[in-house]
Amino acid sequence: MKKFIYLIISLVLIFLIVGCNKDSATEWYDSKEAAIESGLKHEGTESESFLSIEEFENETFVVYEYMGGLGVANVVESEKGYGWKRSLPYTDFEVGGELAYSTSGFDIETETGLDVSVLVGKTFDSSIQDMKLFGDGTERKLKVHGDTGFFYAFHKMPTDAVDVSPIVN
C-alpha cells in the first residue's frame, strides 16, 4: 500500500513540475521567420490574416487578425532559438450605436520581463484611414488596416494615459 501511495504522489509531482514549466510548451526554431510561420499556423490563421511584425524595445511582436478579432504574439529569443508566445485572448469590438471607432488596451509582460502596453482599436467608418495617437510623449500616426479596420500601437505609458483621434482627410 505504501508503494501505491508513493507512486501516486510521485506522478502528481511530475505532472505539477511539467505543467508549471512554461518553457515546456514552447517549440523552438532556428529563425524568427520560422517561429512566426509556425505560430500563425498553430493559431489557425491564413497568411492574409497577418497584419505586421512590430519591433518595440528590442522585442518582436506579431499582430494578426483571427475570426474577426485581433491577436498579438511575442516572438521570444533564447539560446534554444526563437519561439512563439501568445498569452492573451483575442481582442474584438462590438458595435453599439453610431460609433466611428472603438479602442481597448492591455499589458504584456514578455519573457525578458519587459512591460509593454498595447492600444488596440477598430474603425467602423471606412473613410477613416489613419488615427493619431497622443499622450505617450510624441504624436504618432497609426495605420488603419484595410477591410479589418484594426489599428494598434505599442507603448510604455499606461493604456489610459494615451488617446487616439481619427485623421480626417
Side-chain angles (χ1 to χ4, degrees), residues 8 45 156:
I8 296 295
T45 64
K156 294 292 286 177

Side-chain angles (χ1 to χ4, degrees), residues 68-79:
L70 189 70
V72 177
N74 180 222
V75 178
V76 297
E77 185 176 357
S78 81
E79 67 279 351

Side-chain angles (χ1 to χ4, degrees), residues 55-118:
E55 298 291 334
F56 182 78
E57 301 278 328
N58 296 320
E59 295 276 350
T60 303
F61 296 93
V62 179
V63 183
Y64 58 98
E65 187 265 336
Y66 179 70
M67 295 181 62
L70 189 70
V72 177
N74 180 222
V75 178
V76 297
E77 185 176 357
S78 81
E79 67 279 351
K80 297 176 187 177
Y82 298 90
W84 175 273
K85 296 278 186 173
R86 184 187 63 82
S87 59
L88 297 167
Y90 298 103
T91 304
D92 196 6
F93 300 89
E94 292 189 29
V95 182
E98 306 236 352
L99 293 173
Y101 65 93
S102 182
T103 62
S104 183
F106 53 87
D107 297 322
I108 298 174
E109 183 179 350
T110 66
E111 294 288 311
T112 62
L114 176 68
D115 290 318
V116 179
S117 293
V118 184

